Amino acid sequence: MTEEIKERLYRELDVIRGKDFSSYFLIVWDFMNYARRTGIPCGTRGSGVGTLVGYVLNIGNVEPLEYGLLFERFMDPERSEMPDIDVDICQNGRGDIINYVRNKYGHVAQIITYGTMKARAVIRDVSRVLNVPLGDADKLAKLVPETLNIKLKDAIEQEPQIPEWCNKDPKIAKVIEIGKTLEGMARHASVHAAGVVIADQPLDDFLPLYKAADSDDVITQYDGPTCDKVGLLKMDFLGLRTLTTIERARQLVKLGKNYDLDPNNLDLTDQNVLNLFGEGRTKGMFQFESGGMRDLLQKMKPDRIGDLIAANALYRPGPMALIPDYNGRKHGESWSLPHPIMEEVLKETYGIMIYQEQVMQILNRLGDLPLARAYKLIKAISKKKHSIINAEMGTFIEGCVAKGIDKKKAEELFELIQKFAGYGFNKSHSTQYAILAFQTAFFKTYFPTEFMAALLTFEMGSTEKVAEYIDECKSMDIQVLPPDVNESFADFTVIYDESVKKKKGPYELKPIEKVQGERIRFGMAAVKGVGERAVEEIIRAREEIGKFESIYQLCQHIDTRLVNKGALEALVKAGAFDSLGGHRGQTMAALEDAVRIGNELQKDKAQGQMSFFDAFEEDEELKEEAAKLPDVEPWPKPLMLQYERDVLGLYVTSHPLADYAQDIYYYSTAHTNTLTNLRPDSEVIIGGMISRMRYCVTKNGRGQAHAWPCSRWKI
């Protein structure tokens, strides 16, 4: 242990002990240790990443000294506020962690949150009580502009139709009058997404509690800020889907390739992974997949984790203006600063103040402000507290002058600090999330099929995201197959060819440029109308008999109370029976008989009678006759694809425009991926299908609304 580490560790411990916060750290250590023992991924976010004590306790996985993270950004020795270590937990394990804390410490409750009456909601609620017709209530509510947190008072000023209607109709006027009184009041209660309070004695000694009608969980009647004022220990257990995705990808890799890796022990200098960022191929990567961020990365060409940390902090309103300077200096533009201390502090960001920690270090090392006061000054700058700003300005200038900086230059520097401190980002938070992004990129580089399968699994609730990631799979030469009753599970899974399965010896870790021998199979739980219990029952039956050979055999072995006819119809439309022979029209035509026969055979079996299939188990000819499908016409291709889209949310086996692909390619002058590169007034010819249109609404001089498609396309 170096002297620097020892000094930092003892300094942190002195503050933690002096504030009696040791138990807080030990509780966090305890439940995070439990999480790791039970295989639940977790980590810290925010300023709590910057504590060396937390790192030594394995609460965080980022070494603060390596990244220049400050303890004072997390805990001010001069403040009496409770510490706040935000914990990210794999979504699948969050409930388990909360139950562990509840069972071990006893006096635990989740925190209530109150939904308040917003302008539109209060209009609808009051209208319902006053028996205003539903159509009028809806029309009145929609007159309120879609501005975030708008008040009724402002809505009346912005929308002249509201006061006009009030003048004509006393009941509407009464709705608005009562609405103004009720607006902002609590409308309903729910459970905070992450907050939990813990005490060393019964919680009802400190605050009122309650249980929701449909739950046995104990909930506080005070909201989060009030729990803080009472002095209770509050912790945030935040579910983070990215951790769940990474863990699922890790499991798929281990299962399919017998390669077990620790996402928290990766080489963060791996240029193969960093190249993925520089090429803008970041779809599915945590915090880095938006179009604007991809453009930033392609211009930045990150070659170190520090660039990703900076990109995360820069891509926000305010700091965005610094992106060209950062990229230019990274690629060779000259820069200089008025003092060597500033150059040392800002070297990693090419002389640009990006992080709050950098501002704190400059205030501390140039202006002799203690780090705790430096952070207090940053907060004062962001909240425009001029009394604190002016009080510290003199101290800073004196410190600068003592180090040889001209007074006028020191004043200019303080003005610059005020500008940057207003939007400086928490480096601790940015560092943790950049490392998480690197982990997702690592899997996408070396195990793309497993990563995309995991990503699709946890985006099943969003048809738009599933379609987006399937397009990404196509760009990576990864085939996504429809669901299959003989291969699919609830989640998206990876199917390996025999050539992949037969590989012997240790797995060779190398970036995959072209995916071969690996495909993704749609999860049955992603099919609309197929519930979790239905999927479990199909998998149970499949494991029992080995493999389904026909729709009749499947219906013989499943419990049709769990897998009803509607679920089976959805699976037929999705193509889940295609591998059993015949086309989808035949399977759908056979479905009613298959369900009926299956029910009858199950009744016979329950009564001890031999089934038709059992009787002819050895006679292949009779078995084939028994499983014969009706002789009907196949569905027309457009109808088949429409059914597929209805239950999967997108086209998987083909696309309605596939037959016209050559014509579209020949006549089009642009593609959706190239439109952003064209001048705003460019005219293009593009082929496609219009699935929905978005309208713009404006008002003329008389306040009348007019709507038209946002795009000026000639169709």
Side-chain angles (χ1 to χ4, degrees):
M1 183 186 297
T2 66
E3 285 301 317
E4 182 185 13
I5 293 174
K6 190 182 297 184
E7 185 277 328
R8 168 78 175 257
L9 200 55
Y10 288 152
R11 177 161 53 87
E12 289 190 17
L13 285 170
D14 286 343
V15 174
I16 293 167
R17 282 198 299 259
K19 290 177 170 290
D20 291 328
F21 290 155
S22 299
S23 58
Y24 176 91
F25 275 80
L26 290 172
I27 290 171
V28 176
W29 167 82
D30 177 44
F31 69 71
M32 291 189 75
N33 190 42
Y34 168 79
R36 294 190 173 99
R37 286 200 318 269
T38 53
I40 300 172
C42 61
T44 53
R45 72 160 77 167
S47 58
V49 177
T51 162
L52 189 59
V53 170
Y55 178 72
V56 170
L57 288 173
N58 204 23
I59 290 173
N61 63 343
V62 176
E63 207 278 83
L65 290 173
E66 181 181 348
Y67 293 95
L69 309 181
L70 302 179
F71 175 70
E72 286 77 9
R73 176 62 183 79
F74 163 66
M75 186 182 292
D76 182 351
E78 298 177 5
R79 295 199 317 262
S80 58
E81 299 170 8
M82 294 295 291
D84 186 15
I85 299 177
D86 293 333
V87 181
D88 286 322
I89 304 171
C90 165
Q91 284 184 330
N92 292 347
R94 179 176 174 271
D96 189 11
I97 299 297
I98 292 176
N99 285 335
Y100 170 80
V101 172
R102 181 179 285 117
N103 293 333
K104 179 158 186 177
Y105 297 100
H107 309 300
V108 176
Q110 290 180 263
I111 298 174
I112 200 169
T113 181
Y114 293 103
T116 56
M117 291 188 176
K118 308 291 186 187
R120 287 191 172 194
V122 78
I123 286 175
R124 297 183 193 278
D125 285 350
V126 175
S127 295
R128 185 167 56 251
V129 174
L130 296 181
N131 294 319
V132 174
L134 185 61
D136 287 348
D138 185 59
K139 183 180 176 182
L140 181 61
K142 287 181 178 178
L143 287 175
V144 176
E146 293 185 6
T147 305
L148 185 65
N149 296 324
I150 191 170
K151 303 292 184 185
L152 278 176
K153 174 177 170 292
D154 299 322
I156 292 169
E157 293 175 357
Q158 294 178 30
E159 178 48 70
Q161 290 187 60
I162 297 177
E164 288 174 10
W165 199 352
C166 289
N167 292 334
K168 294 177 184 176
D169 189 336
K171 186 173 280 191
I172 296 298
K174 192 171 184 180
V175 168
I176 298 298
E177 182 185 352
I178 296 173
K180 286 181 180 178
T181 304
L182 297 178
E183 187 179 25
M185 295 182 68
R187 184 181 187 276
H188 62 272
S190 58
V191 180
H192 190 278
V196 172
V197 292
I198 303 173
D200 57 358
Q201 52 186 291
L203 282 167
D204 53 14
D205 289 350
F206 305 101
L207 77 175
L209 304 169
Y210 96 110
K211 287 184 179 179
D214 57 348
S215 174
D216 289 330
D217 293 341
V218 177
I219 314 296
T220 70
Q221 288 192 43
Y222 289 166
D223 60 9
T226 310
C227 288
D228 280 336
K229 291 176 182 177
V230 170
L232 286 169
L233 177 62
K234 182 169 71 72
M235 295 185 180
D236 284 333
F237 294 76
L238 303 148
L240 185 62
R241 182 183 298 172
T242 300
L243 287 174
T244 314
T245 302
I246 291 171
E247 176 61 15
R248 174 62 177 165
R250 189 192 71 80
Q251 291 171 355
L252 288 172
V253 170
K254 185 178 180 181
L255 181 67
K257 294 176 177 172
N258 197 30
Y259 186 83
D260 195 6
L261 58 90
D262 179 4
N264 291 316
N265 192 28
L266 304 179
D267 177 9
L268 299 181
T269 66
D270 189 325
Q271 291 303 307
N272 293 318
V273 178
L274 292 167
N275 287 343
L276 209 63
F277 288 97
E279 293 163 7
R281 295 190 288 141
T282 56
K283 282 290 182 71
M285 291 187 202
F286 182 63
Q287 299 273 308
F288 283 85
E289 62 177 328
S290 70
M293 179 60 89
R294 293 201 305 274
D295 180 63
L296 182 161
L297 292 168
Q298 286 173 296
K299 292 174 180 175
M300 179 185 286
K301 300 293 181 188
D303 55 9
R304 60 194 178 103
I305 191 69
D307 288 332
L308 301 184
I309 298 170
N312 215 346
L314 285 168
Y315 192 68
R316 296 177 301 110
M320 275 188 176
L322 302 172
I323 292 173
D325 288 339
Y326 185 95
N327 291 343
R329 294 179 184 186
K330 176 176 174 59
H331 297 304
E333 287 182 9
S334 61
W335 57 275
S336 63
L337 292 170
H339 198 279
I341 288 178
M342 289 188 68
E343 291 181 357
E344 183 183 339
V345 172
L346 301 178
K347 181 181 178 181
E348 64 168 331
T349 53
Y350 308 103
I352 301 169
M353 279 186 272
I354 296 177
Y355 312 117
Q356 291 176 348
E357 286 87 342
Q358 289 176 320
V359 179
M360 289 170 64
Q361 286 174 317
I362 290 172
L363 288 167
N364 170 248
R365 296 179 61 184
L366 274 184
D368 295 330
L369 269 74
L371 286 169
R373 278 172 58 188
Y375 181 52
K376 186 177 179 182
L377 174 58
I378 288 175
K379 292 181 71 174
I381 290 171
S382 65
K383 295 178 180 179
K384 295 181 170 56
K385 294 184 177 179
H386 297 290
S387 59
I388 298 175
I389 297 170
N390 294 334
E392 298 289 16
M393 180 178 177
T395 305
F396 174 79
I397 292 173
E398 286 179 14
C400 289
V401 171
K403 291 177 179 61
I405 298 177
D406 179 75
K407 183 179 179 181
K408 186 177 180 182
K409 198 71 178 176
E411 291 171 349
E412 292 174 359
L413 182 56
F414 191 79
E415 288 180 14
L416 190 64
I417 286 172
Q418 288 190 75
K419 175 185 174 183
F420 281 90
Y423 53 66
F425 197 63
N426 178 353
K427 190 183 181 186
S428 297
H429 187 84
S430 190
T431 300
Q432 178 63 51
Y433 275 10
I435 290 173
L436 268 177
F438 186 94
Q439 291 173 355
T440 58
F442 182 91
F443 278 97
K444 193 174 182 181
T445 300
Y446 294 103
F447 305 101
T449 314
E450 291 84 358
F451 174 71
M452 294 307 295
L455 199 62
L456 285 163
T457 291
F458 296 109
E459 292 292 352
M460 277 195 287
S462 170
T463 300
E464 189 175 319
K465 277 292 184 184
V466 169
E468 180 183 338
Y469 291 141
I470 286 180
D471 282 344
E472 180 71 0
C473 287
K474 290 176 183 176
S475 73
M476 299 162 67
D477 295 322
I478 300 173
Q479 188 180 7
V480 180
L481 304 172
D484 187 292
V485 290
N486 277 327
E487 285 192 335
S488 291
F489 292 86
D491 299 337
F492 285 78
T493 51
V494 181
I495 306 297
Y496 299 100
D497 289 350
E498 288 302 318
S499 59
V500 178
K501 292 179 182 177
K502 289 178 180 178
K503 286 184 178 178
K504 303 289 184 182
Y507 184 83
E508 183 183 354
L509 189 65
K510 60 182 180 179
I512 297 178
E513 298 296 334
K514 184 175 177 61
V515 177
Q516 294 180 322
E518 302 173 12
R519 293 159 293 162
I520 295 175
R521 178 68 76 177
F522 236 91
M524 285 189 283
V527 181
K528 293 178 184 176
V530 181
E532 187 177 331
R533 295 183 68 189
V535 175
E536 290 174 353
E537 175 61 14
I538 291 171
I539 294 170
R540 181 206 60 77
R542 185 175 74 202
E543 290 175 347
E544 180 183 291
I545 66 171
K547 188 177 181 182
F548 301 120
E549 295 181 4
S550 70
I551 180 72
Y552 298 101
Q553 187 190 30
L554 181 142
C555 290
Q556 179 192 0
H557 288 89
I558 61 171
D559 185 342
T560 51
R561 293 170 300 179
L562 300 177
V563 190
N564 59 31
K565 186 181 175 184
L568 291 168
E569 287 178 350
L571 288 168
V572 173
K573 291 177 179 178
F577 291 93
D578 289 358
S579 64
L580 304 187
H583 52 72
R584 297 179 194 181
Q586 289 178 298
T587 307
M588 186 67 81
L591 186 59
E592 190 166 339
D593 279 346
V595 172
R596 178 181 55 78
I597 293 170
N599 285 334
E600 291 174 358
L601 293 176
Q602 288 178 34
K603 288 178 184 177
D604 291 344
K605 190 174 182 179
Q607 295 170 2
Q609 300 180 31
M610 184 178 290
S611 76
F612 181 79
F613 282 93
D614 289 338
F616 298 99
E617 188 66 32
E618 302 302 323
D619 194 322
E620 293 297 329
E621 188 175 337
L622 286 175
K623 278 176 65 179
E624 186 176 336
E625 183 66 25
K628 193 172 182 181
L629 295 171
D631 185 14
V632 298
E633 290 293 317
W635 290 338
K637 186 177 179 181
L639 179 63
M640 184 192 78
L641 291 175
Q642 185 56 51
Y643 280 153
E644 193 173 279
R645 182 180 172 87
D646 289 344
V647 295
L648 296 178
L650 66 158
Y651 307 109
V652 178
T653 54
S654 184
H655 191 278
L657 295 181
D659 295 337
Y660 309 100
Q662 284 188 329
D663 294 332
I664 291 172
Y665 178 80
Y666 180 78
Y667 288 107
S668 295
T669 60
H671 186 273
T672 51
N673 291 339
T674 62
L675 285 175
T676 54
N677 301 327
L678 300 173
R679 295 194 314 271
D681 294 329
S682 299
E683 289 191 4
V684 299
I685 299 172
I686 190 167
M689 293 173 59
I690 298 175
S691 58
R692 61 193 174 103
M693 295 184 73
R694 187 172 59 187
Y695 286 83
C696 297
V697 179
T698 61
K699 299 180 180 66
N700 59 24
R702 291 169 295 180
Q704 297 171 324
H706 177 64
W708 69 90
C710 287
S711 304
R712 294 178 293 172
W713 292 356
K714 297 176 183 177
I715 303 172

